[in-house]
Amino acid sequence: MHLLEGEKVTKYFGGLAAVSEVDFYVDEGEILGLIGPNGAGKTTLFNLISAALEPKPGVIKFRDEQINGLRPYKICRLGIARTFQTVKIFGNLPVIENVRVGSLFGPLKGLSTAEATKVALELLEFVGLSKVAYTPARDMTLVNQKRLEVARALATKPTLLLLDELMAGLNQTELLDTMELVKQIQKKGITIIMIEHVMKAIMGICDRIIVLHHGKKIADGTPEEVANSKKVIEVYLGEASDAGS
Amino acid sequence: MNFSSINWKRAAMQPGIPVLLLILVALAPLYGSGYIVTLFTYFILYMVLSVSWTIFSGSTGYISLASAAFYGVGIYAAAMFGERMPFIFVILIGGIASFILAFIVGAITLRLRGIYFAMFTFGLVVLMKEVIHYWEITIEGTRGHFVIYQSNETIFYYLLGIFIVTMIVAYIIRKSRYGLALASIGENEEAAGHTGINVTMVKVITFAISAVFMGAAGAVMATKFTYIDPGVAFNPMMSFSPALMAIFGGMGSIYGPVVGAVFFSYLQEWLMTGSLKNYYMLIFGAILVLTIIYLPSGITGLIQNLWRRIRGARSAPTRG
């Protein structure tokens, strides 16, 4: 049994198939990378999994139970959390309150307020934001806002975490730190699907990669298989000399 | 901002001055003239409306212009049931009827955002007015209703009671985990949904709760008018005023809407009885424009900022 499985998942925007008959799965404990050119349908696929959108047609199953058609908060409580490509933090609330929203409302069984605060502080420590716990979230740098989104998502006690371009716009040091953070999350026993353009990160930490192009899946395999696939090089990676830069 | 941890000891000590003011106001019928009691009645009415408006709109950012509809439903509840039941039940019916109306309207419209929600809620006021007008003319063959009379003191004390309940409910919501959910919806609704908050439910219930107090206040005020018709009951100004008062007073603190309500109802009284009568709406509008441009967090926000500056940076606002 796969943890998450999609069968012929499709989504049209008007006449355009943003995601077209994509079959995918992720197994427990894996880090699955989702790559492809801009407009390939990666974020749309995330939106379909997290129920911001509904696939038509297509089926998405979580632990063998159909989850498409549910509302976003239900998906979250089932154990699928996400971050956003353009950060969507609660800017005017202090950092710690952002995370407490997650721990108070995200888990299937709600925590007491004291427990929620404790969990929030631990997670801020985990992502390295303890020092700014009481700063309004909007005052932080982009890197820290992205880390805050990760902490908020983790606070909902997910089994599956969807990371949408967590590494975009980071400098070299931040990139390495963030890659380390993702590995740490995997060590907690959380399965991860990540959308990323930074090849170094993708090739470095993913167990498996799916490549989308014009809404269709064009490759699915280990980083080596994908990096050597003719089709992938043609539409996305470019010549071998460019890949991995 | 420290959600979901009500420090009751602090909560009891903190509002020392407001409680003193409240007692002073409550004793008004003992020392004040009839005019003072009536003036205070209007203060309290607007305080109830703007505080309950803020419960929903202040935190979620959905601007509701339906206040007059809920207030009017309360007024009509008093007209229909006032003669048959004790006053307190009439008030309850007013509140419950408004709750039900708000729940239904909320469930239908709270997927609309921004200006569309404001327009629809305002449309509700007009719709209620026209439908009841039509009903009265064609089915009942009347126009308007008489409402059983209550003394000025009775009206005053019932309204004061509603105000106190409103404040307590607003405080508890603001400080509870529910308040945190509302605030996060106001900050980013999509993220709130993906973080496990049942966004629709929270919005609809809060909208309905805020309507209860408006309906209850309407049921009380109806007895002051003695005769009501749809034009009186569903007066659009009762939609605009609470919003303006709350924005002027500032929605960051629970006292903001109260300050705004007192300021504007006194201003209204002063201008309407003086030689500036014709300029009332003009001045009203100018103050609002200036507030939005120069005091986005309202009068109470300004005072809080000044207070922080005086006390220095030691207690930074982020720790509040």
Side-chain angles (χ1 to χ4, degrees):
Chain A
M1 179 182 82
H2 300 302
L3 180 66
L4 182 82
E5 199 175 0
E7 289 162 17
K8 302 239 178 277
V9 174
T10 305
K11 178 72 194 174
Y12 279 91
F13 291 128
L16 177 83
V19 172
S20 177
E21 301 198 331
V22 173
D23 292 315
F24 64 91
Y25 69 87
V26 62
D27 286 324
E28 202 137 13
E30 252 187 329
I31 298 184
L32 173 67
L34 195 54
I35 63 173
N38 287 322
K42 304 182 297 290
T43 296
T44 305
L45 190 59
F46 265 22
N47 286 337
L48 292 167
I49 298 171
S50 64
L53 299 171
E54 207 180 323
K56 247 177 200 176
V59 178
I60 300 174
K61 287 180 183 168
F62 185 64
R63 297 189 194 284
D64 266 354
E65 306 244 352
Q66 186 176 333
I67 57 164
N68 50 305
L70 295 177
R71 304 259 309 283
Y73 81 97
K74 287 263 187 194
I75 300 288
C76 174
R77 289 183 191 172
L78 277 175
I80 302 178
R82 70 170 294 182
T83 68
F84 299 90
Q85 187 177 5
T86 48
V87 287
K88 294 189 197 302
I89 49 167
F90 308 131
N92 289 308
L93 302 185
V95 166
I96 186 163
E97 296 297 341
N98 274 262
V99 186
R100 287 181 71 231
V101 174
S103 50
L104 283 169
F105 297 96
L108 208 49
K109 273 188 190 160
L111 302 178
S112 78
T113 55
E115 285 167 339
T117 309
K118 195 169 150 261
V119 169
L121 284 169
E122 283 166 9
L123 284 169
L124 286 177
E125 177 80 47
F126 178 70
V127 300
L129 293 177
S130 301
K131 280 188 186 148
V132 287
Y134 296 94
T135 318
R138 62 163 190 275
D139 291 347
M140 295 196 303
T141 58
L142 181 67
V143 199
N144 284 348
Q145 291 186 356
K146 288 187 163 193
R147 286 180 166 246
L148 175 58
E149 277 204 337
V150 174
R152 183 179 65 190
L154 289 175
T156 67
K157 288 229 171 4
T159 30
L160 175 63
L161 180 62
L162 312 177
L163 300 172
D164 197 344
E165 293 202 26
L166 186 61
M167 323 262 180
L170 305 191
N171 68 33
Q172 200 60 28
T173 327
E174 291 164 349
L175 185 68
L176 291 175
D177 288 349
T178 307
M179 282 169 71
E180 185 54 37
L181 179 68
V182 173
K183 283 184 197 157
Q184 290 295 325
I185 295 170
Q186 186 188 26
K187 275 193 195 138
K188 279 173 176 264
I190 296 169
T191 310
I192 295 167
I193 307 181
M194 55 192 287
I195 294 176
E196 210 56 70
H197 284 295
V198 183
M199 278 310 123
K200 183 177 161 186
I202 280 280
M203 297 297 168
I205 55 181
C206 289
D207 300 306
R208 201 157 55 82
I209 295 174
I210 289 178
V211 188
L212 290 183
H213 182 54
H214 291 318
K216 290 198 169 68
K217 186 168 88 170
I218 58 167
D220 183 345
T222 63
E224 294 76 40
E225 286 166 9
V226 166
N228 295 322
S229 151
K230 262 214 173 93
K231 206 166 180 191
V232 176
I233 291 171
E234 193 178 305
V235 303
Y236 185 54
L237 293 179
E239 287 306 309
S241 57
D242 295 344
S245 66
Chain B
M1 220 176 297
N2 187 10
F3 289 98
S4 28
S5 57
I6 303 179
N7 184 340
W8 291 108
K9 203 169 162 193
R10 194 164 152 242
M13 298 296 291
Q14 198 183 24
I17 295 170
V19 166
L20 228 94
L21 279 175
L22 190 68
I23 293 171
L24 267 179
V25 171
L27 297 176
L30 299 180
Y31 61 78
S33 60
Y35 170 73
I36 289 288
V37 173
T38 303
L39 183 69
F40 279 10
T41 302
Y42 275 97
F43 281 7
I44 299 169
L45 167 66
Y46 282 114
M47 275 147 62
V48 170
L49 294 180
S50 59
V51 170
S52 50
W53 183 85
T54 309
I55 291 178
F56 175 72
S57 294
S59 45
T60 60
Y62 280 81
I63 302 296
S64 159
L65 292 178
S67 312
F70 305 135
Y71 178 69
V73 165
I75 290 177
Y76 261 84
M80 315 274 274
F81 301 102
E83 288 173 5
R84 286 178 247 168
M85 290 181 187
F87 195 30
I88 185 80
F89 286 123
V90 178
I91 296 171
L92 285 176
I93 290 176
I96 293 166
S98 292
F99 181 93
I100 295 169
L101 178 66
F103 193 91
I104 295 168
V105 171
I108 302 168
T109 62
L110 274 169
R111 66 192 66 198
L112 301 173
R113 297 231 63 180
I115 191 72
Y116 300 103
F117 179 74
M119 279 163 62
F120 189 97
T121 49
F122 188 67
L124 178 70
V125 177
V126 181
L127 181 74
M128 291 294 292
K129 182 171 149 184
E130 294 304 326
V131 166
I132 293 181
H133 184 71
Y134 177 83
W135 175 274
E136 284 182 349
I137 300 269
T138 55
I139 297 179
E140 290 183 343
T142 59
R143 177 158 191 175
H145 286 270
F146 287 99
V147 185
I148 203 161
Y149 166 87
Q150 301 284 351
S151 76
N152 276 347
E153 281 74 23
T154 314
I155 294 172
F156 175 83
Y157 281 116
Y158 272 104
L159 214 49
L160 192 66
I162 293 170
F163 170 67
I164 292 169
V165 176
T166 312
M167 285 300 274
I168 292 172
V169 170
Y171 181 81
I172 291 174
I173 289 181
R174 189 179 277 261
K175 292 289 174 184
S176 68
R177 64 169 75 192
Y178 200 74
L180 181 57
L182 283 170
S184 57
I185 291 171
E187 289 290 325
N188 192 314
E189 191 166 335
E190 194 186 347
H194 287 292
T195 314
I197 295 170
N198 188 345
V199 174
T200 314
M201 201 51 150
V202 170
K203 283 192 300 186
V204 172
I205 297 237
T206 314
F207 189 53
I209 289 174
S210 81
V212 170
F213 307 109
M214 299 175 182
V220 176
M221 287 306 287
T223 63
K224 197 171 183 63
F225 305 146
T226 63
Y227 167 81
I228 56 117
D229 65 23
V232 174
F234 299 96
N235 174 3
M237 275 313 285
M238 299 313 276
S239 277
F240 295 122
S241 297
L244 302 188
M245 289 165 175
I247 292 167
F248 176 78
M251 295 176 290
S253 129
I254 202 161
Y255 298 118
V258 177
V259 173
V262 172
F263 179 86
F264 269 102
S265 28
Y266 188 74
L267 185 76
Q268 184 173 355
E269 177 70 17
W270 181 59
L271 292 174
M272 294 292 261
T273 52
S275 53
L276 291 167
K277 195 175 169 183
N278 297 329
Y279 299 104
Y280 167 61
M281 288 306 288
L282 189 67
I283 296 172
F284 209 95
I287 292 177
L288 186 77
V289 170
L290 291 174
T291 308
I292 291 175
I293 297 176
Y294 294 108
L295 296 175
S297 49
I299 285 290
T300 46
L302 177 75
I303 294 170
Q304 279 171 353
N305 279 338
L306 287 176
W307 179 238
R308 271 180 208 130
R309 219 168 276 179
I310 293 165
R311 282 172 56 189
R314 262 189 309 154
S315 54
T318 50
R319 274 244 161 201

